[in-house]
């Protein structure tokens, strides 16, 4: 069986096992070439050559490990994969063209016709679309549970359920799911727990240590952190990720390019510093918003009144960089807040150095019916801010301008 050309034994040396996350993020995965480069090189090559016919045959059969073709083996991509695997504490990582293709490849690699998924209701819109519109066509059905309600999950599991899928914190209300409890529930029913760790990154939360089986990333967000490229990754064990998910990548080809991999692996080097700065800005902003008369409610797990404040403290090192809040006055007021700001970027993206502001009800969650939105408590007055790395006072001053319109 041809495997992803990496293994836990190779990627984490004895020295690396003792390194802290910040050190792993800077140094893991780069094997210096004969050129003695200091920064990681971009291997812009589609294929690799063999020293003999016999070596070519051995590579193709899997008897010898090494580069073959950049759809599935590229040294720059591998450096990113090994680095992210080390940060998440996983045996293996497979990089993908986008976060969505990471989810698709995971489902294609680990599920089959007749299987059933229970997903959190509060997942990325395209994830819901992938499950309902595309996986359903191939005989994989999905039910949706309330992220924070374990009984609801329990009741939705069927004999053919093979995967529980969550994002935590959720978007846009920043609710927290209990990874350890859901992992226990999954394993009691012969299911895998898959966690989309996009909002937290391994700096704030390491789902594999809490019992999850697979971690998904949209590298597009915080891993790059500077809004430059689209990419994704799947992290887990050698069999499921290194063979099954890798097999989908090798065959179907939603691969990360070496150029994108280079951007992401340089992004990882500053990830810890950036996540701390995003989280400290978000905490200050949440506390400031709570004191504003035009704000009805603030959703941020770093606030003591957040329903899962204690769980967030246990499960995450920091509450994260995203804050949501309701303004009085519904959609008109919320839109006025957005339109009166001058610096914040009006975009649905997140995980950027630049602070972004979004009206979920008419953008990211516009495809839901009004009843579904009401069910999910995504009101017309709800705004989401993904706090960037600008000076806090400038972000606050822009929201002062915005809230004057509410
Ligand atoms: C953006 C996002 C995705 C999809 O990632 P792409 O890189 O845009 O394909 C998946 N999950 C979450 C939580 C996201 O925010």
């Amino acid at each position: 069986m041809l495997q992803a050309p990496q293994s836990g034994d190779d990627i984490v040396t004895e020295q690396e096992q003792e390194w802290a996350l910040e050190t792993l993020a800077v140094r893991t995965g780069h094997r210096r070439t004969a050129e003695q480069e200091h920064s990681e090189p971009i291997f812009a090559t589609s294929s690799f050559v063999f020293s003999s016919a016999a070596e070519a045959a051995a590579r193709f059969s899997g008897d010898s490990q090494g580069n073959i073709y950049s759809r599935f083996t590229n040294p720059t991509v591998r450096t990113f994969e090994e680095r992210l695997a080390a940060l998440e504490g996983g045996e293996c990582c497979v990089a993908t063209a986008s976060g969505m293709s990471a989810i698709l490849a995971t489902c294609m690699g680990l599920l089959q016709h007749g299987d059933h998924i229970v997903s959190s209701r509060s997942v990325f819109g395209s994830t819901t679309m992938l499950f309902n519109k595309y996986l359903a066509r191939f005989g994989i059905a999905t039910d949706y549970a309330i992220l924070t309600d374990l009984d609801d999950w329990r009741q939705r599991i069927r004999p053919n359920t093979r995967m529980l899928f969550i994002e935590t914190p959720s978007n846009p209300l920043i609710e927290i799911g209990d990874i350890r409890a859901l992992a226990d529930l999954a394993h009691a029913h012969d299911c895998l727990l898959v966690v989309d760790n996009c909002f937290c990154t391994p700096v704030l939360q390491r789902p594999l240590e809490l019992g999850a089986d697979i971690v998904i990333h949209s590298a597009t967000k915080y891993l790059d952190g500077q809004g430059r490229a689209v990419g994704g990754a799947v992290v887990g064990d050698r069999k499921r990720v290194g063979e099954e998910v890798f097999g989908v990548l090798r065959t179907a080809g939603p691969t990360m390019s070496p150029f994108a991999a280079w951007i992401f692996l340089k992004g990882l080097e500053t990830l810890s510093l950036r996540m701390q700065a995003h989280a400290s800005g978000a905490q200050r902003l949440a506390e400031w918003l709570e004191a504003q008369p035009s704000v009805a409610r603030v959703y941020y797990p770093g606030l003591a009144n957040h329903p899962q404040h204690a769980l967030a403290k246990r499960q995450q090192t920091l509450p994260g960089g995203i804050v949501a809040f309701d303004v009085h006055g519904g959609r008109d007021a919320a839109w006025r807040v957005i339109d009166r700001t001058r610096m914040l970027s009006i975009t649905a993206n997140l995980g950027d150095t630049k602070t972004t502001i979004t009206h979920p009800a008419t953008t990211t969650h516009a495809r839901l019916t009004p009843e579904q939105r009401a069910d999910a408590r995504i009101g017309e007055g709800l705004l989401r801010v993904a706090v960037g790395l600008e000076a806090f006072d400038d972000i606050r001053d822009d929201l002062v301008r915005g809230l004057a319109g509410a």
Side-chain angles (χ1 to χ4, degrees):
M1 173 86 196
L2 200 93
Q3 296 189 353
Q6 55 187 4
S7 75
D9 309 331
D10 296 335
I11 64 176
V12 179
T13 63
E14 247 169 66
Q15 183 191 15
E16 288 177 6
Q17 275 167 12
E18 291 170 12
W19 281 347
L21 181 134
E22 290 79 1
T23 314
L24 293 170
V26 171
R27 294 204 171 261
T28 304
H30 177 207
R31 282 176 206 79
R32 207 159 279 150
T33 73
E35 300 295 343
Q36 292 287 77
E37 74 282 357
H38 193 201
S39 175
E40 299 76 356
I42 303 177
F43 283 88
T45 177
S46 53
S47 66
F48 299 84
V49 295
F50 312 106
S51 59
S52 67
E55 192 194 14
R59 285 283 166 81
F60 273 79
S61 71
D63 290 342
S64 124
Q65 293 277 299
N67 301 316
I68 299 177
Y69 184 60
S70 284
R71 184 179 343 107
F72 49 99
T73 50
N74 178 279
T76 311
V77 177
R78 193 177 318 127
T79 303
F80 167 72
E81 291 170 334
E82 294 184 2
R83 197 166 285 186
L84 184 59
L87 297 183
E88 287 287 2
E91 288 176 353
C92 213
C93 170
V94 171
T96 56
S98 66
M100 289 318 303
S101 56
I103 300 172
L104 175 67
T106 299
C107 293
M108 287 190 74
L110 302 177
L111 299 175
Q112 60 184 13
H113 186 274
D115 285 351
H116 176 248
I117 301 171
V118 183
S119 169
S120 164
R121 275 203 320 211
S122 313
V123 292
F124 192 62
S126 300
T127 304
T128 310
M129 202 68 155
L130 174 68
F131 292 163
N132 291 351
K133 183 162 178 202
Y134 296 101
L135 291 189
R137 270 194 209 161
F138 296 91
I140 297 170
T142 305
D143 265 319
Y144 293 91
I146 298 170
L147 177 64
T148 54
D149 182 350
L150 270 180
D151 281 334
D152 195 29
W153 286 88
R154 221 170 267 127
Q155 279 161 22
R156 289 177 197 276
I157 292 177
R158 305 181 194 161
N160 61 334
T161 306
R162 287 292 156 273
M163 182 183 285
L164 308 188
F165 188 99
I166 64 166
E167 270 167 39
T168 178
S170 70
N171 183 23
L173 289 177
I174 333 289
E175 294 173 315
I176 312 289
D178 188 333
I179 295 176
R180 193 176 290 286
L182 284 165
D184 289 345
L185 183 67
H187 299 151
H189 292 86
D190 194 22
C191 299
L192 301 174
L193 176 65
V194 178
V195 178
D196 182 332
N197 201 24
C198 171
F199 271 39
C200 272
T201 84
V203 173
L204 304 190
Q205 170 172 284
R206 311 220 305 165
L208 300 176
E209 284 177 359
L210 298 166
D213 302 287
I214 304 280
V215 167
I216 301 276
H217 274 288
S218 167
T220 317
K221 314 295 168 49
Y222 288 111
L223 300 192
D224 169 27
Q226 290 149 83
R228 300 169 293 190
V230 173
V234 185
V235 188
D237 64 75
R238 215 162 296 159
K239 172 92 183 84
R240 294 193 188 99
V241 175
E243 289 181 20
E244 305 299 347
V245 178
F246 172 72
V248 175
L249 262 287
R250 177 188 165 109
T251 309
T255 309
M256 180 180 283
S257 84
F259 295 101
W262 186 82
I263 289 172
F264 295 130
L265 82 92
K266 300 314 277 186
L268 291 180
E269 296 183 6
T270 57
L271 183 64
S272 180
L273 286 174
R274 286 187 287 106
M275 293 312 292
Q276 290 175 52
H278 286 297
S280 95
Q283 180 77 40
R284 287 180 72 185
L285 187 68
E287 289 170 9
W288 177 79
L289 284 167
E290 272 204 311
Q292 305 313 303
S294 49
V295 173
R297 180 163 174 192
V298 182
Y299 306 85
Y300 185 67
L303 298 176
N305 64 9
H306 186 283
Q308 294 97 35
H309 177 64
L311 172 61
K313 256 188 152 157
R314 266 203 319 277
Q315 185 165 286
Q316 302 176 202
T317 55
L318 291 167
I322 299 165
V323 180
F325 57 101
D326 286 312
V327 291
H328 295 294
R331 179 190 297 195
D332 290 349
W335 279 21
R336 279 198 303 274
V337 173
I338 292 181
D339 290 340
R340 285 195 179 206
T341 60
R342 283 191 229 134
M343 181 184 81
L344 304 195
S345 309
I346 307 172
T347 165
N349 199 27
L350 59 93
D352 198 300
T353 51
K354 300 178 175 72
T355 300
T356 66
I357 187 163
T358 312
H359 185 243
T362 50
T363 58
T364 52
H365 294 72
R367 279 185 293 196
L368 301 185
T369 63
E371 295 74 42
Q372 287 171 323
R373 273 198 298 277
D375 241 19
R377 290 181 296 113
I378 299 166
E380 293 286 330
L382 184 73
L383 290 165
R384 188 198 73 189
V385 172
V387 178
L389 302 182
E390 304 96 336
F392 175 76
D393 289 357
D394 292 326
I395 298 171
R396 183 202 52 209
D397 289 352
D398 209 31
L399 278 165
V400 168
R401 248 189 311 269
L403 288 173

